[in-house]
């Protein structure tokens, strides 16, 4: 295999997807190629970014499809149609079952906007993470890229980067700083690390 095929799963703005697309264009993401963008809603701006970059996209909406089984069957179909090797969860807000994640051991990356094990786990996503960090009064937060297993935000940590909390921060300001200084840097690096291992046949699968 020359490059691992990556599917990026998104639900919203897709700035982390953009960081991956930019890394691919710059050649820093070179062991993998973004082969599919999968959105959980047709409104996700990530779909526009995929279109602009000429990357195939699919929408699998849990709400429209109805059952979790049918939702995951639709995802599996899209993944096999594009011969995907690696899944990157980049702000994907739909739940994936243990049945699903078990089929991809060591092959799903997730980005979480805090230094795990702080401010993570069930129900901790988006602005809630930054609200919790500010409420606790931490002076350092950051982002974590980890492999996904059956425990929410509990899989092996791949990369972390710290970010300062500054006086006067709101959840929105802090979220932006964590994205700029940590998430957009770490996610392409982690994707390259995992894809390079897969291409060389060195991953643990
Ligand atoms: C990021 O903060 C990410 O850490 C979290 O969801 C947000 C996604 O933002 N999981 P975007 O869609 O990549 O802009």
């Amino acid at each position: 295999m020359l490059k691992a095929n990556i599917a990026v799963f998104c639900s919203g703005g897709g700035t982390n997807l953009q960081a991956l697309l930019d890394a691919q264009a710059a050649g820093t993401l070179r062991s993998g190629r973004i082969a599919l963008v999968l959105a959980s809603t047709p409104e996700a701006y990530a779909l526009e970014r995929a279109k602009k970059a000429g990357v195939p996209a699919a929408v699998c909406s849990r709400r429209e499809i109805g059952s979790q089984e049918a939702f995951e069957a639709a995802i599996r179909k899209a993944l096999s149609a594009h011969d995907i090797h690696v899944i990157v969860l980049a702000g994907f807000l739909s739940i994936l079952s243990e049945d699903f994640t078990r089929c991809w051991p060591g092959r799903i990356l997730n980005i979480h906007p805090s230094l795990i094990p702080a401010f993570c786990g069930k129900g901790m996503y988006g602005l809630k993470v930054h609200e919790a960090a500010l409420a606790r009064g931490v002076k350092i937060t950051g982002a974590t890229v980890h492999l996904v297993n059956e425990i929410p935000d509990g899989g092996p940590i791949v990369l972390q980067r710290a970010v300062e909390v500054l006086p006067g921060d709101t959840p929105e300001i802090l979220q932006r700083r964590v994205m700029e200084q940590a998430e957009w840097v770490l996610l392409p690096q982690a994707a390259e690390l995992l894809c390079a291992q897969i291409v060389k046949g060195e991953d643990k699968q």
Side-chain angles (χ1 to χ4, degrees), residues 148-159:
V148 171
N149 63 12
E150 66 289 353
I151 307 157
D153 297 326
I157 290 171
V158 180
L159 293 174

Side-chain angles (χ1 to χ4, degrees), residues 40-103:
S40 64
T41 156
E43 278 96 54
Y45 186 71
L47 291 167
E48 279 302 309
R49 297 182 191 270
K51 200 170 161 191
K52 273 189 203 140
V55 174
V59 177
C60 290
S61 158
R62 166 75 177 76
R63 202 185 317 153
E64 277 170 27
I65 293 175
S67 73
Q68 186 70 19
E69 290 72 27
F71 168 62
E72 291 182 357
I75 294 178
R76 286 179 210 266
K77 199 171 162 200
L79 296 177
S80 63
H82 293 273
D83 191 22
I84 296 302
H85 306 109
V86 171
I87 297 171
V88 177
L89 304 180
F92 188 64
L93 296 178
S94 293
I95 306 281
L96 294 169
S97 72
E98 210 180 310
D99 266 1
F100 182 91
T101 56
R102 225 186 292 121
C103 295

